[in-house]
mmCIF file of all heavy atoms in Angstrom:
data_model
loop_
_atom_site.group_PDB
_atom_site.id
_atom_site.type_symbol
_atom_site.label_atom_id
_atom_site.label_comp_id
_atom_site.label_asym_id
_atom_site.label_seq_id
_atom_site.Cartn_x
_atom_site.Cartn_y
_atom_site.Cartn_z
ATOM 1 N N MET A 1055 0.805 -1.211 0.000
ATOM 2 C CA MET A 1055 0.000 0.000 0.000
ATOM 3 C C MET A 1055 0.845 1.271 0.000
ATOM 4 O O MET A 1055 0.358 2.347 -0.307
ATOM 5 C CB MET A 1055 -0.929 0.000 1.227
ATOM 6 C CG MET A 1055 -2.050 -1.027 1.149
ATOM 7 S SD MET A 1055 -3.227 -0.726 -0.198
ATOM 8 C CE MET A 1055 -2.645 -1.850 -1.435
ATOM 9 N N ASN A 1124 -6.272 5.565 -6.683
ATOM 10 C CA ASN A 1124 -5.374 5.001 -5.680
ATOM 11 C C ASN A 1124 -6.025 4.934 -4.305
ATOM 12 O O ASN A 1124 -5.787 3.994 -3.542
ATOM 13 C CB ASN A 1124 -4.084 5.822 -5.620
ATOM 14 C CG ASN A 1124 -3.153 5.510 -6.780
ATOM 15 O OD1 ASN A 1124 -2.530 4.463 -6.829
ATOM 16 N ND2 ASN A 1124 -3.078 6.421 -7.737
ATOM 17 N N LEU A 1125 -6.879 5.908 -3.984
ATOM 18 C CA LEU A 1125 -7.598 5.840 -2.710
ATOM 19 C C LEU A 1125 -8.589 4.677 -2.718
ATOM 20 O O LEU A 1125 -8.772 4.001 -1.697
ATOM 21 C CB LEU A 1125 -8.326 7.160 -2.450
ATOM 22 C CG LEU A 1125 -7.445 8.334 -2.001
ATOM 23 C CD1 LEU A 1125 -8.289 9.595 -1.853
ATOM 24 C CD2 LEU A 1125 -6.740 8.023 -0.682
ATOM 25 N N ASP A 1126 -9.228 4.434 -3.869
ATOM 26 C CA ASP A 1126 -10.129 3.279 -3.973
ATOM 27 C C ASP A 1126 -9.367 1.982 -3.719
ATOM 28 O O ASP A 1126 -9.859 1.067 -3.054
ATOM 29 C CB ASP A 1126 -10.769 3.228 -5.368
ATOM 30 C CG ASP A 1126 -11.898 4.239 -5.521
ATOM 31 O OD1 ASP A 1126 -12.341 4.780 -4.486
ATOM 32 O OD2 ASP A 1126 -12.321 4.491 -6.664
ATOM 33 N N THR A 1127 -8.141 1.914 -4.272
ATOM 34 C CA THR A 1127 -7.320 0.719 -4.081
ATOM 35 C C THR A 1127 -6.964 0.537 -2.609
ATOM 36 O O THR A 1127 -7.031 -0.567 -2.059
ATOM 37 C CB THR A 1127 -6.028 0.819 -4.914
ATOM 38 O OG1 THR A 1127 -6.366 0.955 -6.296
ATOM 39 C CG2 THR A 1127 -5.164 -0.425 -4.728
ATOM 40 N N ILE A 1128 -6.602 1.655 -1.961
ATOM 41 C CA ILE A 1128 -6.219 1.588 -0.543
ATOM 42 C C ILE A 1128 -7.411 1.200 0.325
ATOM 43 O O ILE A 1128 -7.319 0.324 1.190
ATOM 44 C CB ILE A 1128 -5.650 2.947 -0.089
ATOM 45 C CG1 ILE A 1128 -4.321 3.224 -0.811
ATOM 46 C CG2 ILE A 1128 -5.443 2.973 1.424
ATOM 47 C CD1 ILE A 1128 -3.810 4.636 -0.625
ATOM 48 N N LEU A 1129 -8.563 1.839 0.086
ATOM 49 C CA LEU A 1129 -9.747 1.575 0.907
ATOM 50 C C LEU A 1129 -10.310 0.176 0.671
ATOM 51 O O LEU A 1129 -10.941 -0.404 1.557
ATOM 52 C CB LEU A 1129 -10.821 2.628 0.619
ATOM 53 C CG LEU A 1129 -10.455 4.065 1.021
ATOM 54 C CD1 LEU A 1129 -11.540 5.035 0.567
ATOM 55 C CD2 LEU A 1129 -10.260 4.163 2.529
ATOM 56 N N GLY A 1130 -10.079 -0.356 -0.525
ATOM 57 C CA GLY A 1130 -10.598 -1.689 -0.827
ATOM 58 C C GLY A 1130 -9.602 -2.793 -0.563
ATOM 59 O O GLY A 1130 -9.845 -3.958 -0.888
ATOM 60 N N TYR A 1131 -8.470 -2.435 0.049
ATOM 61 C CA TYR A 1131 -7.407 -3.410 0.287
ATOM 62 C C TYR A 1131 -7.813 -4.417 1.357
ATOM 63 O O TYR A 1131 -8.351 -4.058 2.406
ATOM 64 C CB TYR A 1131 -6.135 -2.682 0.720
ATOM 65 C CG TYR A 1131 -4.997 -3.604 1.109
ATOM 66 C CD1 TYR A 1131 -4.352 -4.376 0.155
ATOM 67 C CD2 TYR A 1131 -4.574 -3.686 2.437
ATOM 68 C CE1 TYR A 1131 -3.306 -5.209 0.503
ATOM 69 C CE2 TYR A 1131 -3.530 -4.517 2.792
ATOM 70 C CZ TYR A 1131 -2.895 -5.278 1.825
ATOM 71 O OH TYR A 1131 -1.866 -6.097 2.174
ATOM 72 N N THR A 1132 -7.556 -5.689 1.086
ATOM 73 C CA THR A 1132 -7.806 -6.762 2.046
ATOM 74 C C THR A 1132 -6.476 -7.389 2.435
ATOM 75 O O THR A 1132 -5.709 -7.797 1.559
ATOM 76 C CB THR A 1132 -8.710 -7.849 1.433
ATOM 77 O OG1 THR A 1132 -9.941 -7.252 1.022
ATOM 78 C CG2 THR A 1132 -8.987 -8.948 2.451
ATOM 79 N N PRO A 1133 -6.140 -7.448 3.725
ATOM 80 C CA PRO A 1133 -4.864 -8.031 4.150
ATOM 81 C C PRO A 1133 -4.692 -9.442 3.612
ATOM 82 O O PRO A 1133 -5.669 -10.180 3.445
ATOM 83 C CB PRO A 1133 -4.971 -8.033 5.683
ATOM 84 C CG PRO A 1133 -5.960 -6.954 5.981
ATOM 85 C CD PRO A 1133 -6.945 -6.988 4.850
ATOM 86 N N GLN A 1139 -13.845 -12.276 2.271
ATOM 87 C CA GLN A 1139 -13.939 -11.008 1.563
ATOM 88 C C GLN A 1139 -15.404 -10.689 1.303
ATOM 89 O O GLN A 1139 -16.156 -11.555 0.861
ATOM 90 C CB GLN A 1139 -13.191 -11.092 0.221
ATOM 91 C CG GLN A 1139 -13.092 -9.766 -0.503
ATOM 92 C CD GLN A 1139 -12.281 -9.897 -1.786
ATOM 93 O OE1 GLN A 1139 -12.262 -10.962 -2.391
ATOM 94 N NE2 GLN A 1139 -11.629 -8.839 -2.194
ATOM 95 N N LYS A 1143 -16.983 -6.573 -2.642
ATOM 96 C CA LYS A 1143 -15.575 -6.366 -2.951
ATOM 97 C C LYS A 1143 -15.044 -7.499 -3.820
ATOM 98 O O LYS A 1143 -14.207 -7.292 -4.693
ATOM 99 C CB LYS A 1143 -14.757 -6.263 -1.661
ATOM 100 C CG LYS A 1143 -15.015 -4.980 -0.890
ATOM 101 C CD LYS A 1143 -14.074 -4.854 0.291
ATOM 102 C CE LYS A 1143 -14.298 -3.534 1.029
ATOM 103 N NZ LYS A 1143 -13.390 -3.402 2.191
ATOM 104 N N LYS A 1146 -16.168 -6.823 -7.299
ATOM 105 C CA LYS A 1146 -15.402 -5.715 -7.873
ATOM 106 C C LYS A 1146 -14.008 -6.180 -8.260
ATOM 107 O O LYS A 1146 -13.472 -5.822 -9.307
ATOM 108 C CB LYS A 1146 -15.318 -4.570 -6.864
ATOM 109 C CG LYS A 1146 -14.682 -3.306 -7.417
ATOM 110 C CD LYS A 1146 -14.759 -2.195 -6.389
ATOM 111 C CE LYS A 1146 -14.178 -0.903 -6.944
ATOM 112 N NZ LYS A 1146 -14.249 0.191 -5.941
ATOM 113 N N ARG A 1150 -12.316 -6.322 -12.028
ATOM 114 C CA ARG A 1150 -11.045 -5.707 -12.386
ATOM 115 C C ARG A 1150 -10.126 -6.705 -13.079
ATOM 116 O O ARG A 1150 -9.382 -6.362 -13.994
ATOM 117 C CB ARG A 1150 -10.358 -5.153 -11.131
ATOM 118 C CG ARG A 1150 -11.017 -3.886 -10.597
ATOM 119 C CD ARG A 1150 -10.304 -3.395 -9.354
ATOM 120 N NE ARG A 1150 -10.868 -2.144 -8.884
ATOM 121 C CZ ARG A 1150 -10.485 -1.541 -7.762
ATOM 122 N NH1 ARG A 1150 -9.548 -2.090 -7.000
ATOM 123 N NH2 ARG A 1150 -11.040 -0.399 -7.397
#
Side-chain angles (χ1 to χ4, degrees):
M1055 290 296 99
N1124 283 287
L1125 285 177
D1126 283 346
T1127 301
I1128 293 170
L1129 295 175
Y1131 175 69
T1132 302
Q1139 187 177 29
K1143 290 186 178 180
K1146 187 175 182 180
R1150 287 180 176 175

